[in-house]
Amino acid sequence: MTFRGDANFDTSTVSRGGGGRGGGGAIAVGGGGILTLILVLASMFFGVDLTGLAPQDASPPSQGQSQGEEVTGCTGEDANDPANVTCRMEGGADSMSRFWTETASANGIEYADPRVMLFDRQVETGCGAATSAVGPFYCPPDQAIYIDSTFFQQMREQFGASGGSLAQLYVLAHEWGHHVQNITGQLERVQQGDSGPQSSAVRSELQADCYAGAWIAGASQTTDDDGGAPVLVEPTQQEMNDALNAAHTIGDDALQEMGGGGVNPESWTHGSSEQRMNWLARGFNEGVGACDTWNAPEV
Ligand SMILES: [Zn+2]
């Protein structure tokens, strides 16, 4: 997905921070051997997985959250540079902010953007200390999305998913979808420990995928402040295939197969490859209104 070269981004949404702050330990994942690997892989992507680890009173960790340094001055050209993940996230955040502000207002929903924190190695959050091993996640108490800067490289090397720019933006858009769910109260419908292809956990993940698809379709309609020209050019079929490929790669069944332990649908928390591709495509083709995974008889 290509940004208009001379587009200017100024969202004050994205910050860079983390890295060596305090001595924060890894989040305990539990289990041993392959099981740990699978759990780490599964939680690497998009999880609301950390929701359950959030302290109930949502009190900030003793070292305080990293506030980070605001990312400023990115242009569309910077965001198109394959090596410049920071500006790509900033450009994506600019577009998602505009898309969701408009969509929420059209639906009478009070909306505020999440914070997006890019970090290296480790970061302190309202959901506890996180390391790069956790991968991208949304932390509800902070209303913040955390993304490790090296994640997309990992995604390509370890999972074979295309590292294409739209695939990267899909990751951000999915986490943004969890933020929208948090605002609308839908995130609370996830029951702790619930799993399986039709579970509340999977329905929540598929809705976030659907919201991501709706943003992809709406992105080329969002405009920047100067001149009102679109920020993003409509995605090509190849780029859309990249995003669908990413959704396929991180399906629970694909991850279980990769882990070598056999496919066990009852343990799914994010949805199969087919489910994830279907809902991403549904959001893209039909928009936000088609994303009610909660009342769909089957997802
Ligand atoms: Zn998710």
Side-chain angles (χ1 to χ4, degrees):
M1 203 162 191
T2 316
F3 292 92
R4 206 185 77 235
D6 61 351
N8 284 306
F9 307 123
D10 185 21
T11 63
S12 30
T13 302
V14 180
S15 305
R16 283 200 62 86
R21 198 186 166 93
I27 286 173
V29 176
I34 296 272
L35 180 64
T36 305
L37 178 67
I38 291 168
L39 286 174
V40 170
L41 291 181
S43 67
M44 273 188 79
F45 294 97
F46 318 152
V48 287
D49 312 278
L50 296 179
T51 311
L53 298 175
Q56 285 310 306
D57 60 358
S59 57
S62 53
Q63 291 166 332
Q65 290 160 224
S66 307
Q67 290 307 314
E69 214 174 282
E70 232 174 72
V71 173
T72 53
C74 290
T75 65
E77 203 176 328
D78 300 328
N80 287 332
D81 176 355
N84 198 337
V85 170
T86 301
C87 282
R88 183 155 322 108
M89 292 298 112
E90 169 78 357
D94 182 287
S95 171
M96 288 169 210
S97 166
R98 291 166 195 275
F99 174 76
W100 282 111
T101 300
E102 279 174 30
T103 304
S105 139
N107 289 283
I109 296 164
E110 207 172 307
Y111 171 85
D113 287 331
R115 287 190 307 124
V116 178
M117 177 70 79
L118 303 174
F119 71 97
D120 298 316
R121 300 196 299 282
Q122 64 184 42
V123 67
E124 297 292 333
T125 82
C127 296
T131 67
S132 299
V134 175
F137 65 96
Y138 175 71
C139 175
D142 292 353
Q143 306 217 7
I145 295 165
Y146 292 91
I147 297 180
D148 164 35
S149 306
T150 60
F151 169 75
F152 297 113
Q153 199 184 335
Q154 256 175 22
M155 183 169 157
R156 207 167 34 226
E157 287 170 3
Q158 297 184 8
F159 302 97
S162 156
S165 68
L166 183 54
Q168 294 182 1
L169 291 168
Y170 156 56
V171 171
L172 180 63
H174 172 100
E175 297 304 342
W176 207 291
H178 284 312
H179 174 66
V180 173
Q181 290 177 316
N182 189 24
I183 286 179
T184 55
Q186 296 175 102
L187 209 50
E188 287 169 21
R189 301 176 76 152
V190 179
Q191 292 152 26
Q192 287 305 317
D194 199 11
S195 66
Q198 302 299 325
S199 63
S200 58
V202 165
R203 285 172 191 264
S204 149
E205 293 302 327
L206 296 178
Q207 184 174 50
D209 282 342
C210 188
Y211 283 166
W215 168 74
I216 293 172
S220 54
Q221 314 296 322
T222 60
T223 56
D224 70 1
D225 289 333
D226 22 277
V231 171
L232 278 148
V233 186
E234 233 175 276
T236 63
Q237 189 56 50
Q238 178 58 47
E239 287 169 332
M240 194 56 202
N241 289 347
D242 277 359
L244 288 166
N245 173 251
H248 183 272
T249 309
I250 56 183
D252 283 329
D253 49 348
L255 291 174
Q256 287 178 340
E257 262 167 38
M258 203 181 336
V263 175
N264 174 18
E266 287 319 303
S267 67
W268 292 354
T269 54
H270 287 65
S272 69
S273 297
E274 195 187 352
Q275 285 177 307
R276 301 199 69 160
M277 289 173 73
N278 280 347
W279 283 94
L280 177 63
R282 187 179 301 203
F284 181 73
N285 292 323
E286 298 174 44
V288 171
C291 295
D292 185 0
T293 53
W294 305 103
N295 291 308
E298 216 170 65
V299 289

